[in-house]
Structure formats: C-alpha cells, structure tokens
C-alpha cells in the first residue's frame, strides 16, 4: 500500500522569504503522479503543482517548484518570495498512473504554513 | 468553465438520520471522487465514480454509498449517521481521459449531533 508522509506539521516564514515543505512517500509503483494541494482557511482545495514520476525534470509553477527525488521517494515543495496569501495548509498527494489509476489520491497529513508580515 | 460545485455547503443532522450530498463536476469531466476530511484522520478516500460506475471504494462502512448520473453529477449518501461522521466532505472531478489532476469543490461541512 502507498503511504505519504509530511513530517512538518507546522511551519512559518517571513514574507518574501523562501520556505521548503517536505514530503516522502512509499510505493512499489514505477509510474505515478505526485501533487501539492493548498487548502486556505476558506477550505477550497487548490492544486499548486503536479509531477509525473516518469519526468526527470522538476515541475515549476511561478513561485512554486518541486524537488523530486524518485530514488529517495522524496517530493519537496519550495515556495519562493512567500506572500501572505500563501498562508494555508499544504497537502502532498500520490496517485497511481494508468490502468491502475482509479481516482484515488493518497494524502499526507498536511503542513500548516504561516506567512508572517 | 465553472468549477466543481457541492451542495449543500453546511448541514446539521442528528444521530440515526441519513444525509445526501451532491457534487456537480467540471463540465466534460467524467470522474468524480469523494473524500472525507477530519482533524483526526485527515483526508481519506471514500469512492470514485466514472461513467456511472463505481470503480474504487475506500475503507468505509456500507453506510456510505454513492452514485453517479448520466450527466456526471454525483451524490453520496450516509445512512444511520454517527457522531464520528461529522466531517468536511470533498468531491473532486477529473476528465478521466488521461488528465489525472483532480479539481476539488468547496466541500460540504456535516455536523452530526
């Protein structure tokens, strides 16, 4: 069975600084997807970034980038130039790829990020 | 395109009652997944529907059920409510045709008294 672990329950960062959120996962699958979702206090879950395991290049979306280490089964999220609006709970999630993909995301426990002015 | 919508947004029920939650996916999306979010258990997968068929089910009792209609709208039903069913219920849709990203609705907050 797949598991996702986020070892940092809470983090804080000063506005404009950079912060890295950690995520590790365990799977015997070779093809899969990894995601970071953001859930602000309003509760709407928003996709931040996604990574396909077969792609070696790390995904980036504006100020958000990942460090994907497939062999180490690590998938960290870096937020550059942190903004107050980045304050939220961040979830790392795993999904199988292909025919075994049946719409099931496996989530980590979440990291609450506080951006301080 | 309009996003995923869920109704109702808030619900208060008493133990023993049943409840039905609704989810309308993004237009064109054929897959709908449901999740339960609680402070203690985090986000847990309930089930996924694709083209009106349940393709996968999480580890929840039979009191939790769902269905999907021909227009891809989905409902989930919880019968004989228990206090522990109090949670935020999220649905997510994806097109199911190779685009694997799930897009979430705002959720339904269920409180069981």
């Amino acid at each position: 069975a797949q598991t996702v672990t986020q070892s940092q329950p809470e983090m804080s960062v000063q506005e404009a600084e950079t912060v890295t959120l950690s995520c590790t996962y365990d799977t015997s699958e070779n093809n899969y997807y990894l995601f970071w979702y953001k859930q602000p206090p309003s509760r709407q879950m928003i996709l931040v970034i996604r990574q396909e395991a077969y792609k070696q290049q790390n995904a980036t979306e504006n100020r958000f980038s990942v460090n994907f280490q497939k062999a180490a089964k690590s998938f960290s999220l870096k937020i550059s130039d942190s903004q107050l609006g980045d304050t939220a709970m961040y979830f790392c999630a795993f999904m199988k790829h292909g025919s075994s993909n049946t719409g099931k995301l496996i989530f980590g426990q979440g990291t609450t990020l506080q951006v301080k002015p | 395109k309009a996003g995923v919508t869920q109704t109702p947004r808030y619900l208060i029920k008493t133990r023993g009652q049943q409840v039905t939650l609704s989810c309308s996916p993004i237009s064109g999306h054929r897959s709908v997944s449901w999740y339960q979010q609680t402070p203690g258990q985090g986000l847990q997968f309930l089930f996924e529907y694709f083209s009106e068929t349940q393709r996968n089910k999480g580890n929840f009792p039979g009191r939790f059920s769902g269905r999907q209609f021909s227009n891809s709208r989905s409902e989930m039903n919880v019968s004989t409510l228990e206090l522990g069913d109090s949670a935020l219920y999220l649905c997510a849709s994806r097109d199911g045709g190779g685009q694997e990203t799930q897009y979430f609705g705002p959720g339904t907050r269920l409180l069981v008294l």
Side-chain angles (χ1 to χ4, degrees), chain A residues 50-69:
Chain A
R50 85 173 211 169
Q51 174 82 42
E52 290 92 339
Y54 65 88
K55 291 185 177 179
Q56 293 185 336
Q57 186 173 4
N58 290 324
T60 62
E61 285 289 340
N62 301 313
R63 298 182 294 107
F64 299 88
S65 61
V66 297
N67 183 3
F68 173 49
Q69 301 290 327

Side-chain angles (χ1 to χ4, degrees), chain B residues 28-80:
Chain B
H29 284 192
R30 293 174 292 170
S31 167
V32 173
S33 295
W34 288 88
Y35 298 87
Q36 182 195 64
Q37 185 176 21
T38 59
Q41 299 299 316
L43 281 150
Q44 293 186 286
F45 172 79
L46 280 155
F47 29 64
E48 188 234 11
Y49 284 87
F50 180 87
S51 293
E52 303 179 64
T53 301
Q54 187 183 90
R55 294 201 304 185
N56 197 5
K57 191 177 191 304
N59 189 25
F60 279 83
R63 300 185 296 107
F64 291 82
S65 63
R67 60 178 176 169
Q68 188 179 34
F69 302 94
S70 58
N71 62 357
S72 294
R73 188 177 69 85
S74 178
E75 290 181 346
M76 67 163 282
N77 183 276
V78 188
S79 62
T80 320

Side-chain angles (χ1 to χ4, degrees), chain B:
Chain B
K1 284 184 180 179
V4 179
T5 59
Q6 291 186 246
T7 57
R9 293 293 310 277
Y10 304 93
L11 209 48
I12 300 175
K13 292 285 187 179
T14 56
R15 280 181 300 173
Q17 287 186 310
Q18 74 166 16
V19 66
T20 299
L21 312 181
S22 180
C23 172
S24 292
I26 291 171
S27 178
H29 284 192
R30 293 174 292 170
S31 167
V32 173
S33 295
W34 288 88
Y35 298 87
Q36 182 195 64
Q37 185 176 21
T38 59
Q41 299 299 316
L43 281 150
Q44 293 186 286
F45 172 79
L46 280 155
F47 29 64
E48 188 234 11
Y49 284 87
F50 180 87
S51 293
E52 303 179 64
T53 301
Q54 187 183 90
R55 294 201 304 185
N56 197 5
K57 191 177 191 304
N59 189 25
F60 279 83
R63 300 185 296 107
F64 291 82
S65 63
R67 60 178 176 169
Q68 188 179 34
F69 302 94
S70 58
N71 62 357
S72 294
R73 188 177 69 85
S74 178
E75 290 181 346
M76 67 163 282
N77 183 276
V78 188
S79 62
T80 320
L81 284 166
E82 300 177 359
L83 296 179
D85 297 333
S86 295
L88 181 69
Y89 290 89
L90 296 168
C91 81
S93 77
R94 63 190 175 104
D95 69 6
Q99 170 53 263
E100 306 303 351
T101 299
Q102 293 188 16
Y103 298 90
F104 283 82
T108 294
R109 169 74 63 186
L110 172 65
L111 177 61
V112 182
L113 301 176

Side-chain angles (χ1 to χ4, degrees), chain A residues 56-109:
Chain A
Q56 293 185 336
Q57 186 173 4
N58 290 324
T60 62
E61 285 289 340
N62 301 313
R63 298 182 294 107
F64 299 88
S65 61
V66 297
N67 183 3
F68 173 49
Q69 301 290 327
K70 190 173 184 180
K73 296 180 182 175
S74 171
F75 183 61
S76 60
L77 175 69
K78 185 172 81 171
I79 305 174
S80 304
D81 185 26
S82 296
Q83 300 175 359
L84 296 178
D86 295 334
T87 292
M89 180 165 279
Y90 288 80
F91 291 97
C92 178
F94 169 99
M95 176 186 277
K96 290 181 183 179
H97 180 276
S99 60
S100 59
N101 177 0
T102 51
K104 179 180 180 179
L105 280 167
I106 299 168
F107 287 91
Q109 305 93 316

